[in-house]
mmCIF file of all heavy atoms in Angstrom:
data_model
loop_
_atom_site.group_PDB
_atom_site.id
_atom_site.type_symbol
_atom_site.label_atom_id
_atom_site.label_comp_id
_atom_site.label_asym_id
_atom_site.label_seq_id
_atom_site.Cartn_x
_atom_site.Cartn_y
_atom_site.Cartn_z
ATOM 1 N N LEU A 61 88.403 117.963 99.811
ATOM 2 C CA LEU A 61 88.606 116.534 99.615
ATOM 3 C C LEU A 61 87.684 115.729 100.520
ATOM 4 O O LEU A 61 86.911 116.289 101.300
ATOM 5 C CB LEU A 61 90.070 116.171 99.874
ATOM 6 C CG LEU A 61 91.097 116.851 98.967
ATOM 7 C CD1 LEU A 61 92.498 116.330 99.274
ATOM 8 C CD2 LEU A 61 90.774 116.630 97.502
ATOM 9 N N GLU A 62 87.792 114.446 100.439
ATOM 10 C CA GLU A 62 86.954 113.492 101.163
ATOM 11 C C GLU A 62 86.718 113.885 102.615
ATOM 12 O O GLU A 62 87.645 114.206 103.339
ATOM 13 C CB GLU A 62 87.649 112.125 101.119
ATOM 14 C CG GLU A 62 87.068 111.086 102.035
ATOM 15 C CD GLU A 62 88.024 109.928 102.233
ATOM 16 O OE1 GLU A 62 89.056 109.874 101.569
ATOM 17 O OE2 GLU A 62 87.720 109.093 103.069
ATOM 18 N N GLY A 63 85.477 113.888 103.019
ATOM 19 C CA GLY A 63 85.152 114.160 104.412
ATOM 20 C C GLY A 63 85.009 115.621 104.745
ATOM 21 O O GLY A 63 84.512 115.983 105.803
ATOM 22 N N GLN A 65 87.160 117.756 105.668
ATOM 23 C CA GLN A 65 88.083 118.303 106.664
ATOM 24 C C GLN A 65 89.374 118.818 106.036
ATOM 25 O O GLN A 65 90.107 119.579 106.658
ATOM 26 C CB GLN A 65 88.429 117.227 107.703
ATOM 27 C CG GLN A 65 87.249 116.708 108.496
ATOM 28 C CD GLN A 65 86.662 117.746 109.428
ATOM 29 O OE1 GLN A 65 87.290 118.752 109.699
ATOM 30 N NE2 GLN A 65 85.454 117.503 109.899
ATOM 31 N N VAL A 66 89.675 118.390 104.830
ATOM 32 C CA VAL A 66 90.938 118.740 104.184
ATOM 33 C C VAL A 66 90.663 119.423 102.852
ATOM 34 O O VAL A 66 89.801 118.998 102.090
ATOM 35 C CB VAL A 66 91.808 117.483 103.949
ATOM 36 C CG1 VAL A 66 93.105 117.846 103.231
ATOM 37 C CG2 VAL A 66 92.127 116.821 105.276
ATOM 38 N N GLU A 321 98.111 107.564 94.073
ATOM 39 C CA GLU A 321 98.530 108.786 94.759
ATOM 40 C C GLU A 321 97.338 109.706 95.010
ATOM 41 O O GLU A 321 97.310 110.432 96.006
ATOM 42 C CB GLU A 321 99.601 109.511 93.951
ATOM 43 C CG GLU A 321 100.956 108.804 93.956
ATOM 44 C CD GLU A 321 102.039 109.600 93.263
ATOM 45 O OE1 GLU A 321 101.822 110.796 92.984
ATOM 46 O OE2 GLU A 321 103.111 109.019 92.984
ATOM 47 N N GLU A 322 96.372 109.679 94.119
ATOM 48 C CA GLU A 322 95.180 110.511 94.312
ATOM 49 C C GLU A 322 94.432 110.081 95.575
ATOM 50 O O GLU A 322 93.945 110.927 96.338
ATOM 51 C CB GLU A 322 94.265 110.417 93.092
ATOM 52 C CG GLU A 322 93.113 111.414 93.105
ATOM 53 C CD GLU A 322 93.577 112.863 93.097
ATOM 54 O OE1 GLU A 322 94.646 113.157 92.528
ATOM 55 O OE2 GLU A 322 92.860 113.707 93.689
ATOM 56 N N GLN A 323 94.341 108.777 95.821
ATOM 57 C CA GLN A 323 93.689 108.295 97.041
ATOM 58 C C GLN A 323 94.502 108.652 98.283
ATOM 59 O O GLN A 323 93.941 108.929 99.343
ATOM 60 C CB GLN A 323 93.510 106.775 96.961
ATOM 61 C CG GLN A 323 92.467 106.318 95.959
ATOM 62 C CD GLN A 323 92.464 104.802 95.810
ATOM 63 O OE1 GLN A 323 93.460 104.203 95.409
ATOM 64 N NE2 GLN A 323 91.347 104.172 96.137
ATOM 65 N N ALA A 324 95.818 108.627 98.148
ATOM 66 C CA ALA A 324 96.688 108.901 99.298
ATOM 67 C C ALA A 324 96.823 110.390 99.575
ATOM 68 O O ALA A 324 97.362 110.774 100.624
ATOM 69 C CB ALA A 324 98.067 108.297 99.061
ATOM 70 N N LYS A 325 96.342 111.237 98.674
ATOM 71 C CA LYS A 325 96.544 112.684 98.829
ATOM 72 C C LYS A 325 95.881 113.232 100.088
ATOM 73 O O LYS A 325 96.471 114.026 100.826
ATOM 74 C CB LYS A 325 96.013 113.423 97.602
ATOM 75 C CG LYS A 325 96.127 114.940 97.713
ATOM 76 C CD LYS A 325 95.536 115.666 96.524
ATOM 77 C CE LYS A 325 96.463 115.586 95.334
ATOM 78 N NZ LYS A 325 95.986 116.467 94.218
ATOM 79 N N GLU A 326 94.636 112.831 100.334
ATOM 80 C CA GLU A 326 93.916 113.388 101.501
ATOM 81 C C GLU A 326 94.629 113.046 102.808
ATOM 82 O O GLU A 326 94.840 113.934 103.646
ATOM 83 C CB GLU A 326 92.468 112.914 101.506
ATOM 84 C CG GLU A 326 91.569 113.711 102.452
ATOM 85 C CD GLU A 326 91.542 113.139 103.868
ATOM 86 O OE1 GLU A 326 92.049 112.020 104.071
ATOM 87 O OE2 GLU A 326 91.011 113.809 104.762
ATOM 88 N N PRO A 327 95.030 111.784 103.043
ATOM 89 C CA PRO A 327 95.795 111.507 104.259
ATOM 90 C C PRO A 327 97.121 112.269 104.311
ATOM 91 O O PRO A 327 97.543 112.713 105.383
ATOM 92 C CB PRO A 327 96.025 109.993 104.192
ATOM 93 C CG PRO A 327 94.912 109.473 103.352
ATOM 94 C CD PRO A 327 94.669 110.534 102.334
ATOM 95 N N ALA A 328 97.776 112.431 103.158
ATOM 96 C CA ALA A 328 99.045 113.163 103.131
ATOM 97 C C ALA A 328 98.841 114.612 103.543
ATOM 98 O O ALA A 328 99.598 115.162 104.353
ATOM 99 C CB ALA A 328 99.664 113.098 101.732
ATOM 100 N N LEU A 329 97.821 115.240 103.002
ATOM 101 C CA LEU A 329 97.542 116.627 103.366
ATOM 102 C C LEU A 329 97.071 116.733 104.813
ATOM 103 O O LEU A 329 97.377 117.710 105.505
ATOM 104 C CB LEU A 329 96.498 117.219 102.415
ATOM 105 C CG LEU A 329 96.950 117.371 100.961
ATOM 106 C CD1 LEU A 329 95.820 117.939 100.111
ATOM 107 C CD2 LEU A 329 98.179 118.268 100.859
ATOM 108 N N SER A 330 96.333 115.722 105.281
ATOM 109 C CA SER A 330 95.919 115.710 106.691
ATOM 110 C C SER A 330 97.128 115.715 107.613
ATOM 111 O O SER A 330 97.153 116.411 108.628
ATOM 112 C CB SER A 330 95.051 114.484 106.983
ATOM 113 O OG SER A 330 93.797 114.566 106.353
ATOM 114 N N LEU A 331 98.142 114.920 107.244
ATOM 115 C CA LEU A 331 99.324 114.863 108.087
ATOM 116 C C LEU A 331 100.065 116.195 108.074
ATOM 117 O O LEU A 331 100.592 116.633 109.099
ATOM 118 C CB LEU A 331 100.251 113.734 107.631
ATOM 119 C CG LEU A 331 101.394 113.394 108.593
ATOM 120 C CD1 LEU A 331 100.870 113.094 109.991
ATOM 121 C CD2 LEU A 331 102.217 112.228 108.074
ATOM 122 N N ARG A 397 93.140 111.081 110.692
ATOM 123 C CA ARG A 397 92.850 110.995 109.258
ATOM 124 C C ARG A 397 94.101 110.588 108.488
ATOM 125 O O ARG A 397 94.022 109.844 107.503
ATOM 126 C CB ARG A 397 92.315 112.339 108.744
ATOM 127 C CG ARG A 397 90.994 112.768 109.373
ATOM 128 C CD ARG A 397 90.439 114.019 108.723
ATOM 129 N NE ARG A 397 89.976 113.748 107.374
ATOM 130 C CZ ARG A 397 88.780 113.259 107.061
ATOM 131 N NH1 ARG A 397 87.919 112.970 108.021
ATOM 132 N NH2 ARG A 397 88.439 113.048 105.817
ATOM 133 N N ALA A 398 95.257 111.082 108.930
ATOM 134 C CA ALA A 398 96.512 110.742 108.261
ATOM 135 C C ALA A 398 96.849 109.263 108.412
ATOM 136 O O ALA A 398 97.416 108.648 107.501
ATOM 137 C CB ALA A 398 97.638 111.601 108.810
ATOM 138 N N ARG A 400 95.096 106.755 108.177
ATOM 139 C CA ARG A 400 94.443 105.927 107.157
ATOM 140 C C ARG A 400 95.314 105.777 105.919
ATOM 141 O O ARG A 400 95.131 104.865 105.127
ATOM 142 C CB ARG A 400 93.100 106.553 106.763
ATOM 143 C CG ARG A 400 92.120 106.694 107.914
ATOM 144 C CD ARG A 400 90.881 107.484 107.494
ATOM 145 N NE ARG A 400 91.249 108.733 106.845
ATOM 146 C CZ ARG A 400 90.827 109.083 105.629
ATOM 147 N NH1 ARG A 400 90.044 108.277 104.944
ATOM 148 N NH2 ARG A 400 91.183 110.234 105.102
#
Side-chain angles (χ1 to χ4, degrees):
L61 299 184
E62 169 196 353
Q65 298 292 344
V66 178
E321 288 185 13
E322 189 62 31
Q323 289 173 299
K325 177 183 284 188
E326 195 271 349
L329 294 179
S330 291
L331 191 54
R397 297 186 70 84
R400 300 173 309 125

